[in-house]
Amino acid sequence: MTAMESVARTTPQAVIKPFNVWRIREDFPILRQKVHGKPLVYLDNAATAQKPQVVIDTINRYYSTENSNIHRGVHFLSEQATAVYEDARAKVGHFINAPETREIIYVRSTTEGINLVAQSYGRTFIKEGDEIVISAMEHHSNIVPWQILCGQVGATLRVVPINHDGEFWVDEYEKLLSDRTKFVSVAHVSNALGTINPVREIIDMAHRRDIPVMVDGAQAAPHMKVDVQDLDCDFYAFSGHKLFGPTGIGILFGKAEFLEAMPPYQGGGDMISLVTFEKTHYNVLPYKFEAGTPNIAGGIGLGAAIDYLSGIGLEAVAVHEQELMDYATEAISGIKGLRIIGTAKEKASVLSFVLDGVHAHDIGTILDQEGIAIRAGHHCAMPVMQRFGVPATARASFTFYNTQEEVDSLVVAIHKVIELFG
Ligand code: C6P
């Protein structure tokens, strides 16, 4: 992380509103419920985040009073739905400081955003003998699409190693960059380790060689201010459902110069301006990449989620989450037989760990009995598990509605696991 990003995440003056976690929790109806007779402690936010009432109400209102197809009808409902959907796109653009709204493509998820770039940009501009660089901490969504592309065009995937703390190895990255490198794609924040990567530096180094860079922002966008102009990334993808919005909607930002040069990813309605049997003329950005009836309620719901998150303030979110991470890291570090996987200096939201003699799935199951939801497994990042020589980890992932009391419950429950396994 650069000095500037670090200041943005922690500067107290940047907090735009008094932050009251107990008041904020009231906005999330799901957090009021009990699981196995215990208050729900939801620490699986990296998998998907819970939804505030305003997002639920917005989707409900859309289907109750506004439902209609967009960009097609001349009737009142269609015009209204189109306006709200496009308004949400503009909100997304503002949220990540995109220069132009047409650079915001609605997709299904981060996964679809990366696949779109791999197939559209990759199959057009990456050729046999070229190399694509990713890192050893990528989610499968930022590995497999590039492997598929390599198989299709005859390119090679090169992997930047990570050090023992789970940090991106910048020196090794520099060594991997060469005239053969034609694309770089890296996570902003690792879902399995919590590492915040120095993406600005990574992008600068690639750009000095005219190599475009895609950033997988799935785990960053919900936790820190993302400024695509400041990063100067060429593509940035994230998912609505991790950002307190609905599932089935995601965002791909791409610089217009790239998107203009790329062919459509899918063909169908809305992505055309003229169709004859001889030739089809494609629509302008962003619609060229949005074939078929989209997830209209999803886009509108995402707009409501962005308004909600912006109302709390990402600076305040980052400060609260950092305090929580520090508190939790210290609390579990003292537990005998527990090893934290991922000890990078710059971390966000994720605490992965293993316990001597206990499989992560057993940890997850016992914690569940205590009402505590964590994720146990490989977190769709099998190479990370291989790098650390573990089959799986238990992962607690935090967000702004989590409390120190919930961390205390986690620690008590881990002690129960240890007692049970002797
Ligand atoms: N990680 C997790 O529990 P989708 O599924 O498309 O919304 O997001 C994919 C994805 C891509 N990159 C990173 C860094 C991610 O963390 C994820 C999703 C979830 O860690 C589900 S596997």
Side-chain angles (χ1 to χ4, degrees), residues 46-47 109-111 139 191 216 218-219 239 241-242 375 380 395:
S109 58
T110 308
T111 303
H139 184 279
N191 70 315
D216 168 355
Q219 298 295 346
S239 301
H241 69 98
K242 295 186 200 290
R375 185 168 171 192
C380 302
R395 183 190 70 181

Side-chain angles (χ1 to χ4, degrees), residues 83-392:
V84 191
Y85 184 72
E86 290 303 331
D87 184 49
R89 191 197 303 273
K91 281 178 191 167
V92 173
H94 183 68
F95 182 66
I96 59 170
N97 196 26
E100 299 180 63
T101 307
R102 69 191 178 116
E103 297 174 309
I104 302 297
I105 315 288
Y106 279 121
V107 286
R108 190 164 51 82
S109 58
T110 308
T111 303
E112 189 174 54
I114 299 172
N115 276 281
L116 188 159
V117 175
Q119 286 302 305
S120 172
Y121 180 89
R123 287 191 86 165
T124 312
F125 296 106
I126 296 175
K127 306 269 178 278
E128 190 170 354
D130 290 347
E131 294 181 355
I132 298 161
V133 171
I134 60 169
S135 89
M137 71 176 88
E138 302 308 323
H139 184 279
H140 298 164
S141 292
N142 200 26
I143 302 174
V144 185
W146 304 113
Q147 283 175 331
I148 293 172
L149 173 67
C150 285
Q152 288 164 334
V153 302
T156 305
L157 196 63
R158 305 298 304 269
V159 182
V160 181
I162 53 177
N163 68 18
H164 204 65
D165 288 317
E167 291 168 323
F168 186 92
W169 212 328
V170 177
D171 293 349
E172 294 299 316
Y173 169 60
E174 186 149 40
K175 283 187 214 154
L176 275 184
L177 295 178
S178 76
D179 291 347
R180 287 184 301 278
T181 316
K182 291 295 182 288
F183 204 84
V184 171
S185 190
V186 288
H188 198 162
V189 173
S190 154
N191 70 315
L193 303 165
T195 309
I196 303 173
N197 280 323
V199 279
R200 243 179 94 177
E201 198 182 344
I202 292 169
I203 293 164
D204 279 353
M205 287 165 72
H207 280 180
R208 267 181 248 134
R209 291 174 166 272
D210 282 334
I211 305 163
V213 182
M214 165 146 214
V215 180
D216 168 355
Q219 298 295 346
H223 302 289
M224 61 184 71
K225 175 76 194 137
V226 171
D227 182 332
V228 292
Q229 293 193 62
D230 183 50
L231 292 176
D232 198 24
C233 54
D234 302 294
F235 299 98
Y236 196 99
F238 59 95
S239 301
H241 69 98
K242 295 186 200 290
L243 199 90
F244 318 99
T247 48
I249 190 80
I251 296 297
L252 171 68
F253 159 80
K255 282 183 182 164
E257 64 196 89
F258 284 96
L259 296 174
E260 291 282 15
M262 287 158 55
Y265 173 51
Q266 294 178 334
D270 224 20
M271 51 74 71
I272 51 83
S273 60
L274 178 81
V275 177
T276 65
F277 286 119
E278 288 70 42
K279 188 170 169 55
T280 290
H281 294 265
Y282 304 132
N283 207 341
V284 294
L285 293 177
Y287 314 112
K288 180 172 89 173
F289 291 104
E290 297 180 353
T293 300
N295 182 352
I296 304 165
I300 294 171
L302 177 59
I306 284 176
D307 280 344
Y308 178 81
L309 189 56
S310 305
I312 294 174
L314 270 159
E315 292 82 0
V317 163
V319 170
H320 176 76
E321 289 180 9
Q322 193 57 54
E323 282 171 7
L324 216 50
M325 277 292 286
D326 292 346
Y327 183 76
T329 305
E330 197 179 326
I332 72 164
S333 294
I335 299 176
K336 210 162 157 265
L338 184 148
R339 176 159 72 107
I340 296 176
I341 304 290
T343 46
K345 278 185 278 310
E346 300 292 349
K347 274 184 74 172
S349 139
V350 163
L351 206 47
S352 261
F353 59 93
V354 290
L355 268 182
D356 279 352
V358 192
H359 194 281
H361 285 147
D362 292 326
I363 303 174
T365 307
I366 295 165
L367 262 50
D368 176 55
Q369 290 305 308
E370 301 300 314
I372 302 172
I374 61 154
R375 185 168 171 192
H378 53 64
H379 316 297
C380 302
M382 281 185 182
V384 173
M385 303 298 120
Q386 289 149 15
R387 164 67 181 80
F388 285 91
V390 294

Side-chain angles (χ1 to χ4, degrees), residues 397-416:
S397 51
F398 306 102
T399 191
F400 58 79
Y401 49 63
N402 290 126
T403 65
Q404 294 197 349
E405 286 75 3
E406 289 182 314
V407 174
D408 295 339
S409 304
L410 172 70
V411 173
V412 170
I414 295 173
H415 280 294
K416 271 198 181 160

